[in-house]
Amino acid sequence: METQPEPTEVLHEGRWLRLVRRGTWESCERTHHRGGMAVQIIAVTPDDEVLFVEQPRVALEGRTIEMPAGLVGDTHGADTLESAAARELVEETGWEPGRVEVLTVGYTTPGMSNERIALVRALDLRRVGEGGGVDGEAITVHAVPRTRAPAWLLEKAAEGYGIDLKVW
């Protein structure tokens, strides 16, 4: 016997997010880009340095260490995963990929949100700018030797930074 999906009740809708209830379960949906999709970029420079970004996150009331990432289709409606990743990498870090490879797609917090992330690898990088983000994002770029990255992340956590678990 097939069960019918629970009806969706919209509890609140803001500019970017919608809070919904289905039965007794509440969850959050992204509303401003295609299908709740984002890209997270694994990027290693020609000098074997992993690119991380540091930025303030209002929800955490502090600064985080993350990999470069961004939304697909938020400002560029014709985005592909690859084009969004290339654009975000340049905006956030100043490094342009020669090519982008999609590794996998999955949900970030399936118990709370419909957001999905495509994990991509940026290859054949070349420096084209300083990075730092757009529209006041206040991003600091960190190029960390790949062999030192785990220790560096632990040091940043000890300093009080929020570490995005997806960097591991």
Side-chain angles (χ1 to χ4, degrees):
M1 174 183 266
E2 191 173 312
T3 61
Q4 295 295 317
E6 296 277 353
T8 300
E9 175 188 359
V10 176
L11 301 174
H12 176 76
E13 187 160 351
R15 182 173 175 198
W16 308 108
L17 300 171
R18 175 185 307 123
L19 180 62
V20 299
R21 179 182 300 134
R22 290 183 185 92
T24 60
W25 198 263
E26 295 174 351
S27 62
C28 181
E29 300 174 343
R30 287 198 174 270
T31 60
H32 64 289
H33 68 291
R34 191 177 46 215
M37 180 67 81
V39 290
Q40 179 172 337
I41 306 130
I42 301 167
V44 179
T45 71
D47 291 331
D48 203 29
E49 298 168 315
V50 180
L51 296 177
F52 293 102
V53 293
E54 171 190 330
Q55 60 186 317
R57 291 296 191 182
V58 173
L60 302 180
E61 297 179 344
R63 296 187 71 76
T64 62
I65 302 293
E66 308 169 20
M67 286 186 165
L71 302 174
V72 178
D74 62 335
T75 59
H76 297 76
D79 262 347
T80 63
L81 298 176
E82 295 85 355
S83 67
R87 181 188 70 253
E88 291 289 345
L89 188 62
V90 170
E91 288 175 1
E92 292 191 3
T93 70
W95 287 87
E96 181 177 64
R99 59 192 173 105
V100 174
E101 179 179 88
V102 177
L103 301 175
T104 191
V105 175
Y107 293 94
T108 58
T109 51
M112 187 198 76
S113 173
N114 69 339
E115 181 178 60
R116 293 180 302 148
I117 283 189
L119 184 60
V120 303
R121 181 173 23 225
L123 302 159
D124 307 324
L125 300 185
R126 68 183 184 91
R127 189 69 184 245
V128 296
E130 292 300 311
V134 295
D135 300 328
E137 285 181 309
I139 291 172
T140 301
V141 181
H142 297 279
V144 180
R146 186 173 49 85
T147 57
R148 176 129 172 66
W152 182 82
L153 288 166
L154 291 173
E155 290 166 9
K156 288 299 185 186
E159 292 172 18
Y161 287 85
I163 308 296
D164 183 344
L165 284 178
K166 295 182 299 298
V167 302
W168 294 103

